């Protein structure tokens, strides 16, 4: 095969994917940005250009800022907890020679194969105020003052949403970290043990630096995942309540677009979200700029 | 040879994709035809009302009432209007299906959907004045009847069918549902309790209920809008129609009126005195309704679809659905019950509006109304409906319309239409109930919040 026909072949192979990607990903993406500058209900053929007016409304809309605060809260807390637990389990399952390793691996990974809607429904029954397992447990333990309507109170609702998210994600990241740790040659650890390094020293001075590249990637994953998936949890478990206190930008955008017939404004919220996620990935890239150690 | 093959495949692929994406007319029309159910036979072209265009495309919301009525009524309609061909698309998500057609300026000729359609399509079409005026339909007289159709309709319902207050009717009200409060009729009978007439009587039941291991009240938790069943009729009862109209038109001080203060106060009383079933705020509608059926709470707001909706849910032994309009403040006050309806619409850009109007008229014939009740248990918004449908609907549904013969007045509530805004005042009004129940908000703060939003909407409308 000469180079030219090879090139043609490559073009043919990539073209279908490229076309599908352009139509179903790129085109709607740019269309969404464009629509943010229009007054459109999403339902009619009447579309009016209004410039930056949607963004002006957005800046003065207190609901957007509450939603953003909730988004940021979730973005900070969920990845931190998930990463902590996943790393802990990964290290325990690889460095400690447990006999039940496979069993734990399956158990921890299990939530990951469930649909998020199923998880949300499951957890809204765990939190059920009268016969939920959580409140029943607290009652049995004599901690009656700890009983809450978890999803119905402003002070508890966000934390109550965090646990299902963490529970769902731990297994996935644990598997990634296990794979990374298993890639570290064992003789390094043996040498460290001979030199008298404690488990904690081994973890902070060897494991973490050696899998740093993977950790970096998973942090980006975390951001994307929390940003996208939290919509489903909130939609099913609280509908943004009580009184808007678990509203996030995605649910607010959805409500503006599909319940309030204000598509243009919803797209403006979408563009705002795009801006935030770009900033986030930029910041995370900067913060994590330290290079991975090679072995 | 191979390359030609690949080329061909790609070309086909590309061609199909572009065909699917373009909003060209033929493609859209084909989708509609895909949903048709009737057979295509050539008929005589001599039916009495003659229409040039004999093809009618209709879009039908397939909710709890299903599609059986529409299949039957279409075949009756086609029989009477010879040569006419009705193509039906029916789906539980019908609005999502026809939305692209509406956006492309190629809507169906006829739409049947609830006014509360959760995609907001209906409300948006009303807002954008994209619906055809139907006044001539209601001014006309049905075959075999003496009075014009508008006199057959439930009193004053047509006022709400003209939402722009310009007298132009754009909605033909179809099935109506009554909303109110539900209790366990069997339990009340056994214990010798009476359904309360006033709020004082209702609150007085608290001690009795507690001794019986029950709470007084619950509602659909994370969806507090269900309380509109209580709020709007109670405002009307305390302050008359005027109080309701002031609120619906965002009039200055409307939410500071005594009537609104009294009604908001009811929820404060429920919260402060512990009348609410604990945990209500965190439940979804199914969870709260199940708790109610199991006897955890005496009263819950809901619409006349309640029995059908919960037919598979567990309940306490002997449970029977009891319905009442929300209580009044003082004996002798007018008692109201909230009524919602589903609508029939013709988009302004419909291809065959005249035939669609005939189709709408056809739905209001007595035999169609009976057929509807028989197939769906739905009740059409006409005056003598309870008489027409008595044999076909469950007792709880029948009771929910019988209250109007016992002196309760129907109330339809619609917020005045404003230009597009990010404010959803209805949601704001009822979301506050969660905060009141959690004791995070006082009645004064609730009023202040509503006045604030009302001011913004008022300024927007000017």
């Amino acid at each position: 095969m000469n180079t030219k026909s090879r090139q043609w072949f490559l073009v043919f192979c990539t073209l279908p994917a490229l076309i599908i990607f352009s139509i179903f990903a790129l085109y709607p993406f740019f269309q969404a940005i464009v629509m943010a500058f229009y007054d459109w209900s999403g339902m009619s053929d009447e579309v009016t250009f209004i410039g930056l007016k949607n963004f002006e409304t957005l800046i003065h809309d207190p609901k957007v800022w509450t939603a953003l605060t909730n988004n940021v809260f979730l973005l900070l807390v969920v990845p931190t907890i998930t990463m902590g637990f996943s790393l802990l389990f990964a290290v325990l399952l690889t460095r400690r020679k447990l006999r039940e390793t496979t069993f734990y691996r399956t158990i921890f990974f299990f939530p990951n194969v469930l649909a998020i809607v199923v998880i949300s429904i499951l957890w809204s029954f765990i939190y059920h105020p009268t016969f939920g397992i959580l409140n029943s447990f607290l009652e049995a333990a004599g901690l009656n003052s700890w009983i809450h309507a978890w999803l119905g109170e402003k002070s508890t609702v966000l934390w109550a949403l965090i646990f299902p998210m963490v529970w769902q994600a731990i297994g996935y990241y644990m598997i990634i970290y296990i794979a990374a740790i298993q890639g570290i040659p064992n003789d390094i650890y043996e040498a460290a043990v001979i030199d008298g390094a404690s488990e904690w020293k081994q973890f902070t001075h060897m494991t973490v630096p050696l899998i740093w590249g993977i950790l970096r990637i998973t942090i980006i994953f975390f951001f994307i995942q929390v940003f996208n998936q939290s919509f489903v949890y909130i939609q099913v478990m609280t509908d943004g309540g009580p009184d808007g206190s678990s509203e996030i930008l995605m649910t607010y955008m959805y409500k503006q677009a599909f319940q309030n017939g204000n598509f243009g404004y919803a797209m403006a919220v979408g563009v705002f979200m795009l801006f935030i996620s770009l900033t986030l990935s930029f910041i995370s890239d900067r913060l994590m700029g330290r290079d991975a150690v090679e072995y | 040879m191979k390359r030609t093959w690949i080329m061909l495949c790609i070309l086909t692929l590309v061609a199909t994709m572009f065909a699917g994406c373009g909003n060209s007319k033929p493609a859209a029309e084909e989708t509609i035809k895909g949903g048709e159910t009737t057979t295509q036979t050539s008929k005589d072209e001599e039916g009495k009302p003659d229409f040039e265009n004999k093809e009618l495309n209709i879009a039908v919301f397939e909710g709890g009432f299903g599609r059986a009525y529409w299949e039957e009524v279409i075949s009756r309609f086609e029989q009477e209007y010879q040569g006419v061909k009705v193509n039906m698309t029916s789906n539980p998500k019908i609005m999502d299906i026809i939305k692209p057609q509406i956006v492309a300026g190629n809507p169906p000729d006829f739409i049947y959907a609830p006014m509360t359609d959760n995609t907001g399509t209906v409300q948006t079409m009303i807002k954008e004045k994209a619906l055809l005026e139907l006044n001539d339909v209601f001014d006309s007289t049905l075959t075999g009847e003496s009075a014009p159709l508008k006199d057959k309709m439930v009193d004053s319902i047509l006022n709400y069918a003209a939402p722009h207050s310009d007298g132009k009717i754009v909605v033909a009200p179809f099935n109506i549902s009554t909303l109110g409060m539900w209790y366990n009729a069997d339990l009340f009978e056994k214990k010798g309790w009476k359904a309360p007439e006033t709020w004082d009587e209702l609150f007085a039941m608290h001690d009795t209920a507690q001794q019986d291991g029950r709470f007084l009240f619950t509602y659909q938790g994370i969806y507090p809008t269900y309380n509109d069943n209580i709020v709007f009729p109670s405002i009307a009862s305390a302050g008359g129609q005027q109080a309701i109209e002031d609120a619906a038109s965002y009039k200055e001080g409307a939410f500071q009126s005594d009537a609104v203060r009294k009604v908001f106060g009811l929820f404060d009383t429920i919260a402060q005195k512990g009348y609410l079933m604990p945990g209500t705020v965190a439940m979804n509608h199914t969870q709260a309704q199940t708790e109610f059926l199991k006897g955890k709470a005496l009263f819950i707001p809901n619409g006349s679809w309640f029995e059908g909706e919960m037919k598979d849910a567990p309940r306490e032994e002997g449970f029977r659905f009891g319905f009442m309009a929300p209580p009044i403040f003082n004996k002798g006050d007018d008692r109201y019950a909230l009524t919602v309806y589903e609508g029939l619409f013709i988009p302004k850009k419909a291809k065959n509006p005249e035939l669609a109007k005939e189709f709408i008229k056809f739905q209001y014939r007595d035999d169609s109304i009976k057929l509807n009740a028989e197939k769906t248990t739905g009740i059409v918004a006409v005056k003598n409906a309870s008489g027409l449908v008595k044999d076909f609907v469950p007792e709880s549904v029948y009771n929910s319309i019988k209250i109007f013969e016992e002196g309760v007045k129907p109330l339809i509530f619609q917020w005045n239409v404003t230009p597009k805004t990010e404010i959803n005042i209805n949601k704001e009004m009822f979301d506050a109930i969660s905060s009141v129940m959690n004791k995070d908000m006082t009645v004064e703060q609730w009023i202040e919040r509503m006045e604030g939003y009302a001011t913004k909407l008022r300024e927007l409308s000017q």
Side-chain angles (χ1 to χ4, degrees):
Chain A
M1 228 187 243
N2 59 30
T3 16
K4 203 164 176 210
S5 73
R6 190 185 149 84
Q7 269 173 354
W8 273 110
F9 178 73
L10 289 178
V11 168
F12 284 142
C13 289
T14 45
L15 200 61
L18 186 71
I19 290 172
I20 292 176
F21 179 70
S22 315
I23 292 175
F24 294 105
L26 287 183
Y27 173 72
F29 182 80
F30 286 109
Q31 195 65 18
I33 296 179
V34 171
M35 285 326 293
F37 299 94
Y38 285 84
D39 179 27
W40 184 43
S41 64
M43 234 75 70
S44 72
D45 45 357
E46 273 172 50
V47 183
T48 333
F49 182 78
I50 51 165
L52 289 171
K53 206 155 161 276
N54 281 330
F55 291 96
E56 206 184 306
T57 317
L58 186 141
I59 289 170
H60 295 115
D61 187 350
K63 305 238 158 220
V64 169
W65 300 105
T66 322
L68 179 63
T69 320
N70 291 340
N71 262 117
V72 171
F73 180 79
L74 292 181
L75 279 173
L76 288 179
V77 178
V78 177
T80 316
I81 301 181
T82 319
M83 199 174 175
F85 276 107
S86 308
L87 256 181
L88 177 72
F89 292 147
V91 171
L92 286 180
L93 292 184
T94 46
R95 304 305 309 154
R96 311 251 107 188
K97 303 283 175 247
L98 294 175
R99 235 187 321 150
E100 308 85 356
T101 301
T102 340
F103 172 73
Y104 285 129
R105 227 162 32 192
T106 320
I107 290 289
F108 287 138
F109 191 72
F110 183 66
N112 212 267
V113 295
L114 294 176
I116 297 180
V117 174
V118 175
I119 294 175
S120 307
I121 295 173
L122 187 74
W123 278 82
S124 53
F125 277 103
I126 290 176
Y127 290 132
H128 193 292
T130 45
F131 61 77
I133 190 168
L134 180 59
N135 277 354
S136 307
F137 174 78
L138 290 173
E139 204 181 334
L143 300 165
N144 280 341
S145 58
W146 288 18
I147 289 179
H148 285 276
W150 301 98
L151 295 170
E153 290 172 28
K154 272 184 184 167
S155 50
T156 55
V157 64
L158 281 177
W159 285 100
L161 285 165
I162 280 171
F163 279 91
M165 293 186 204
V166 170
W167 182 75
Q168 189 267 348
I170 281 181
Y172 180 73
Y173 293 102
M174 185 189 76
I175 297 289
I176 295 182
Y177 295 150
I178 285 180
I181 294 173
Q182 276 172 346
I184 302 173
N186 216 20
D187 42 1
I188 306 185
Y189 283 105
E190 278 163 14
V193 172
I194 291 169
D195 288 345
S198 66
E199 285 286 341
W200 177 247
K201 275 257 157 64
Q202 286 177 39
F203 175 71
T204 51
H205 285 86
M206 294 166 55
T207 313
V208 171
L210 284 172
I211 63 168
W212 187 249
I214 303 287
L215 286 179
R216 245 167 86 174
I217 292 168
T218 54
I219 283 184
I220 306 284
F221 280 6
F222 276 130
F223 283 149
I224 297 171
Q225 189 191 21
V226 174
F227 223 67
N228 290 338
Q229 293 185 349
S230 41
F231 173 81
V232 186
Y233 291 102
I234 289 172
Q235 192 73 3
V236 177
M237 290 169 77
T238 69
D239 195 33
D243 201 2
S245 50
S246 65
E247 202 84 82
I248 53 171
L249 288 172
M250 277 68 84
T251 52
Y252 190 61
M253 176 176 90
Y254 176 82
K255 280 179 186 140
Q256 287 297 339
F258 299 112
Q259 290 175 4
N260 208 22
N262 208 344
F263 217 83
Y265 183 59
M267 290 306 106
V269 176
V271 170
F272 183 58
M273 273 161 48
L274 174 72
F275 175 73
I276 288 169
S277 40
L278 284 180
T279 320
L280 270 177
S281 48
F282 181 75
I283 292 176
S284 62
D285 210 47
R286 273 295 150 92
L287 285 181
M288 318 275 299
R290 147 184 170 198
D291 280 327
V293 181
E294 307 263 338
Y295 33 79
Chain B
M1 189 59 203
K2 235 179 210 165
R3 208 190 290 165
T4 340
W5 253 109
I6 295 173
M7 191 76 159
L8 212 71
C9 285
I10 291 168
L11 275 178
T12 331
L13 193 72
V14 174
T16 355
M17 268 181 326
F18 281 114
C21 288
N23 37 21
S24 57
K25 221 174 77 183
E29 267 177 7
E30 240 156 57
T31 342
I32 294 172
K33 278 182 195 155
E36 72 185 277
T37 48
T38 41
T39 48
Q40 205 154 13
T41 45
S42 57
K43 285 174 186 157
D44 288 350
E45 300 261 323
E46 49 173 326
K48 41 179 175 137
D50 207 24
F51 292 91
E52 266 179 41
N53 182 347
K54 288 182 184 293
E55 190 162 333
L56 190 69
N57 293 315
I58 73 169
V60 165
F61 167 69
E62 197 179 325
F65 289 154
R67 58 183 272 171
Y69 166 70
W70 295 101
E71 282 170 358
E72 181 64 29
V73 86
I74 284 171
S75 85
R76 288 187 188 185
F77 185 75
E78 283 178 337
Q79 210 136 58
E80 185 150 339
Y81 292 76
Q82 286 292 312
V84 163
K85 175 96 195 64
V86 181
N87 301 321
M88 172 169 79
T89 313
S90 77
N91 196 288
K93 296 207 168 249
I94 188 69
M95 288 323 216
D96 288 332
I97 291 176
I98 63 171
K99 213 188 270 182
Q101 299 168 18
I102 297 175
V103 175
N106 181 37
D109 298 313
F110 166 97
I111 302 172
Y112 155 68
M115 296 297 284
T116 48
D117 141 57
N118 59 10
T119 69
T121 315
V122 168
Q123 289 304 324
T124 312
M125 287 183 88
I126 290 176
K127 242 180 224 192
E128 306 232 308
K129 304 196 176 173
L131 295 169
L132 192 72
E133 188 187 327
L134 299 174
N135 290 44
D136 51 341
V137 170
F138 289 97
D139 287 335
S140 69
T141 308
L142 300 184
T143 6
E145 290 181 24
S146 52
L149 180 56
K150 61 181 174 198
D151 293 345
K152 189 176 183 175
M153 304 301 293
V154 168
D155 278 332
S156 77
I157 196 166
L158 288 179
N159 296 345
Y160 298 97
H164 290 289
S165 44
D166 54 1
K168 283 185 185 165
I169 297 171
V170 294
V171 185
F174 195 53
N175 284 318
I176 50 172
S177 305
T178 314
L179 294 77
M181 291 172 83
W182 296 84
Y183 56 91
N184 180 351
D186 176 69
L187 176 80
F188 274 54
E189 257 165 43
K190 273 193 206 142
K191 301 267 178 184
W193 299 340
K194 224 174 95 284
E197 200 186 330
T198 64
W199 281 105
D200 288 340
E201 282 173 21
L202 189 145
F203 290 148
M205 293 183 78
H206 173 66
D207 290 338
T208 343
Q210 281 240 295
Q211 281 161 19
D212 208 41
R214 297 159 197 271
F215 285 88
L216 197 58
F217 180 72
T218 190
Y219 65 90
Q220 285 75 350
I222 64 172
Y223 304 111
T225 11
Y226 277 83
N227 286 300
D228 59 359
N229 302 2
I230 296 170
V231 171
F232 296 131
S234 301
I235 294 177
S237 173
Q241 283 283 347
Q242 192 58 43
I244 276 290
E245 273 163 37
D246 289 352
S249 57
Y250 324 112
K251 206 171 150 194
E252 196 174 347
F255 293 94
Q256 288 161 334
S257 72
D258 284 343
V260 172
R261 199 178 299 268
K262 260 160 111 177
V263 174
F264 283 5
L266 293 172
F267 290 90
D268 194 50
T269 310
I270 291 172
Q272 302 292 339
K273 299 243 170 101
Y275 295 161
L276 186 73
M277 183 180 80
T280 296
V281 279
M283 291 181 193
N284 62 29
H285 58 301
T286 324
Q287 289 172 335
Q289 286 166 194
T290 308
E291 293 296 284
F292 164 77
L293 289 181
K294 284 180 1 201
K296 297 275 166 58
L298 283 195
F299 297 98
I300 191 168
N302 209 347
S304 48
W305 57 80
F306 197 12
E307 184 169 356
E309 179 188 2
M310 299 302 283
K311 64 174 183 286
D312 298 325
R315 60 201 65 195
E316 76 182 309
E317 221 178 293
F319 185 94
R320 248 175 48 235
F321 285 88
F323 179 85
M324 66 177 201
I328 47 183
F329 288 93
N330 303 304
K331 283 208 167 130
D333 287 354
D334 283 336
R335 198 168 180 178
Y336 289 88
L338 194 67
T339 311
V340 294
Y341 58 94
E342 293 173 336
L344 312 176
F345 315 90
I346 304 179
K348 252 186 195 156
K349 293 192 173 153
K351 300 278 174 312
N352 200 353
E354 289 314 311
L355 190 57
K357 281 179 182 171
E358 288 303 312
F359 190 64
I360 287 188
K361 284 186 208 162
F362 200 81
Q363 311 307 320
Y364 292 107
R365 296 193 181 179
D366 283 353
D367 46 348
S368 298
I369 292 169
K370 277 187 206 157
L371 176 72
N372 181 40
E374 193 186 333
K375 297 275 182 194
T376 70
T377 75
I379 296 168
V380 177
V382 295
K383 270 175 194 145
N384 57 345
S386 64
L388 284 172
V389 304
K390 190 168 191 240
D391 303 334
F392 306 113
V393 301
E395 197 194 345
S396 67
V397 176
Y398 179 69
N399 287 341
S400 73
I401 51 164
K402 216 183 61 189
I403 57 165
F404 297 120
E405 287 155 23
E406 294 159 356
V408 174
K409 295 182 175 177
L411 175 79
I412 294 173
F413 184 84
Q414 265 164 222
W415 296 99
N416 272 22
V417 178
T418 64
K420 230 171 276 139
T421 163
E422 76 281 4
I423 297 165
N424 184 341
I425 192 162
N426 198 59
K427 188 169 157 42
E428 296 302 336
M429 176 143 169
F430 292 103
D431 271 3
I433 291 179
S434 305
S435 290
V436 171
M437 291 303 171
N438 282 334
K439 298 176 192 159
D440 291 335
M441 189 187 266
T442 63
V443 171
E444 275 322 305
Q445 285 166 331
W446 190 1
I447 290 174
E448 215 171 283
R449 166 160 155 178
M450 292 310 292
E451 275 297 319
Y453 284 115
T455 311
K456 280 189 191 156
L457 292 179
R458 204 164 53 234
E459 282 163 4
L460 206 69
S461 308
Q462 272 158 10

